[in-house]
Amino acid sequence: QQKMAKGLFRGRVFEKDRLLQKYHTIAIDGYKTYTFDYPHCEQCLVQKQENVATWMHYKLGAKLVTPTGFCLPVAHQWVENEENYDKQDCEIKAFYRLARKIRKMYPRLPICLLLDGLFAIQPVFDLLDELGMQCIIVFKEGRMPEAFKWVMKMKKDFAQDNVIVQREEKEIDVRHERTHEERMLRSNPKNEKRKFIKETTYTWMNGVEHWDGERTFNVMTCREVEDGEVNCNYVWLVSDGLNLSEDNVVQLAERGRCRWTIENQGINTQKNGGYHLEHLYSRDKVSMKIWCAILDIAHTINQLIEKGSLIVKANFGSIRSIARIMFEHFRYFTFKKPPQRKRIQIRLAWDTS
């Protein structure tokens, strides 16, 4: 898995999808892989609700997300307990290990992390500054309620001019059900057209100082209204290195919304899209992790075939045909191990003649 990701980065496959023509955007999120109603192993996490205990294996995944819909696994970290632990492992602790692992794997790669509101805490900001990573983090009132109210109040009072409004109008068809008379006459229903209006508002503010004077926040928001109904209303914290401004606020907000790709095209596809992530292929704790790694590799190959140019789909007709042909190859063809080259020995000696 790591070799595949390194090969894609080294081959500059996603060069056009870089944020601000520089940063690769990696979304991080946690999800359950296997659950049990009994203690499976000593590394299981335990969750209790209404006197009912559930033992589970939990994984924190880092995936490269792009506006074109790619969600490719880059690295992962298991959230698991150690022997004789006093407190269970959690996503925050696993994130510290995962972030250092990613930086060790890609020491020079410009990275911008897309994170959930769970990670909007000062130790995470300090770690990302230490590792030289940028971030776009969802800012929710539930995580830091006092700071959220203070920051939004300051932005409302002093950033009224930092607003960009994009308005889109187009005509769409309004289809009506056929009346009884139209069904009897077998005539088409009378379709009408109406205006569809989508309005997106972006706001931003740099250097919002916390009341304690020790922290500052860069905040941007995106509010989208379709036909009078609010479709989304997001608030993000942006790191200083991204230089939030009028020129890039739209691009940063659109990339911040790409964080949902890891939940939809990533986790949801692996659970409900035929990969059966939560199916217990093996009860051995090591084999379970190997199965998860194989699943990530298969998901990567499938996306490169479906969305990329790894295989020309026109030659096969559809993705399903490609899968059927590959399956037939595994059934009827024998894969032989390539012969090893003969070892040779080279001796260097002084010519004294």
Side-chain angles (χ1 to χ4, degrees), residues 198-253:
K198 183 174 75 172
E199 186 175 278
T200 309
T201 305
Y202 303 93
T203 66
W204 73 97
M205 185 175 182
N206 293 315
V208 182
E209 187 175 359
H210 196 263
W211 63 76
D212 57 11
E214 297 180 358
R215 293 175 289 175
T216 58
F217 301 94
N218 302 322
V219 186
M220 69 175 178
T221 66
C222 173
R223 189 173 188 270
E224 186 176 276
V225 180
E226 293 183 353
D227 283 344
E229 296 184 1
V230 179
N231 187 28
C232 69
N233 191 7
Y234 297 118
V235 183
W236 295 281
L237 296 177
V238 183
S239 58
D240 295 333
L242 295 178
N243 299 321
L244 178 62
S245 64
E246 182 180 1
D247 299 329
N248 59 19
V249 62
V250 176
Q251 185 178 357
L252 291 177

Side-chain angles (χ1 to χ4, degrees), residues 24-283:
H24 289 286
T25 48
I26 296 178
I28 295 179
D29 202 3
Y31 51 95
K32 293 184 290 186
T33 55
Y34 311 106
T35 57
F36 307 89
D37 57 358
Y38 60 91
H40 172 258
C41 65
E42 65 276 4
Q43 295 178 336
C44 282
L45 300 180
V46 183
Q47 184 180 22
K48 294 183 179 180
Q49 291 182 350
E50 298 180 357
N51 299 325
V52 177
T54 303
W55 288 263
M56 60 184 174
H57 285 269
Y58 202 86
K59 181 180 177 182
L60 193 64
K63 302 177 187 291
L64 175 72
V65 295
T66 67
T68 53
F70 278 102
C71 183
L72 304 179
V74 174
H76 66 270
Q77 180 67 48
W78 289 94
V79 186
E80 53 191 12
N81 295 322
E82 298 179 354
E83 295 182 1
N84 302 322
Y85 64 90
D86 294 329
K87 190 176 181 180
Q88 289 198 115
D89 198 8
C90 64
E91 280 193 48
I92 298 295
K93 296 178 182 178
F95 172 79
Y96 298 150
R97 304 193 297 269
L98 179 59
R100 295 186 184 278
K101 179 191 292 187
I102 294 174
R103 181 47 77 198
K104 185 177 181 180
M105 291 170 54
Y106 312 102
R108 297 184 179 181
L109 191 69
I111 295 175
C112 176
L113 297 183
L114 308 180
L115 303 175
D116 193 7
L118 175 68
F119 304 99
I121 55 177
Q122 191 61 36
V124 171
F125 300 144
D126 296 337
L127 177 63
L128 296 182
D129 290 340
E130 176 189 343
L131 299 177
M133 295 181 179
Q134 307 303 325
C135 64
I136 301 176
I137 305 179
V138 176
F139 195 26
K140 294 182 179 180
E141 185 177 3
R143 186 55 173 165
M144 296 189 296
E146 295 181 355
F148 183 85
K149 293 179 181 179
W150 173 264
V151 170
M152 298 308 293
K153 180 179 182 302
M154 296 294 292
K155 192 181 74 68
K156 182 179 179 181
D157 295 339
F158 299 101
Q160 297 181 0
D161 297 332
N162 298 347
V163 179
I164 295 178
V165 179
Q166 293 182 348
R167 186 180 177 88
E168 178 185 354
E169 292 186 12
K170 60 181 180 181
E171 288 189 348
I172 61 174
D173 294 329
V174 180
R175 303 192 63 179
H176 299 284
E177 294 184 1
R178 290 191 300 176
T179 62
H180 178 71
E181 182 180 356
E182 290 172 340
R183 290 194 184 96
M184 296 298 294
L185 297 176
R186 295 185 178 180
S187 59
N188 294 326
K190 297 179 181 180
N191 294 330
E192 301 176 353
K193 289 189 176 182
R194 69 175 182 86
K195 281 188 176 182
F196 174 81
I197 302 176
K198 183 174 75 172
E199 186 175 278
T200 309
T201 305
Y202 303 93
T203 66
W204 73 97
M205 185 175 182
N206 293 315
V208 182
E209 187 175 359
H210 196 263
W211 63 76
D212 57 11
E214 297 180 358
R215 293 175 289 175
T216 58
F217 301 94
N218 302 322
V219 186
M220 69 175 178
T221 66
C222 173
R223 189 173 188 270
E224 186 176 276
V225 180
E226 293 183 353
D227 283 344
E229 296 184 1
V230 179
N231 187 28
C232 69
N233 191 7
Y234 297 118
V235 183
W236 295 281
L237 296 177
V238 183
S239 58
D240 295 333
L242 295 178
N243 299 321
L244 178 62
S245 64
E246 182 180 1
D247 299 329
N248 59 19
V249 62
V250 176
Q251 185 178 357
L252 291 177
E254 293 299 324
R255 194 57 63 95
R257 297 179 67 174
C258 286
R259 196 199 68 81
W260 285 100
T261 307
I262 191 174
E263 299 189 6
N264 297 329
Q265 283 80 3
I267 300 172
N268 185 50
T269 299
Q270 290 186 358
K271 287 185 177 181
N272 306 311
Y275 295 91
H276 303 291
L277 172 64
E278 296 176 313
H279 179 72
L280 189 62
Y281 292 98
S282 174
R283 295 184 182 275

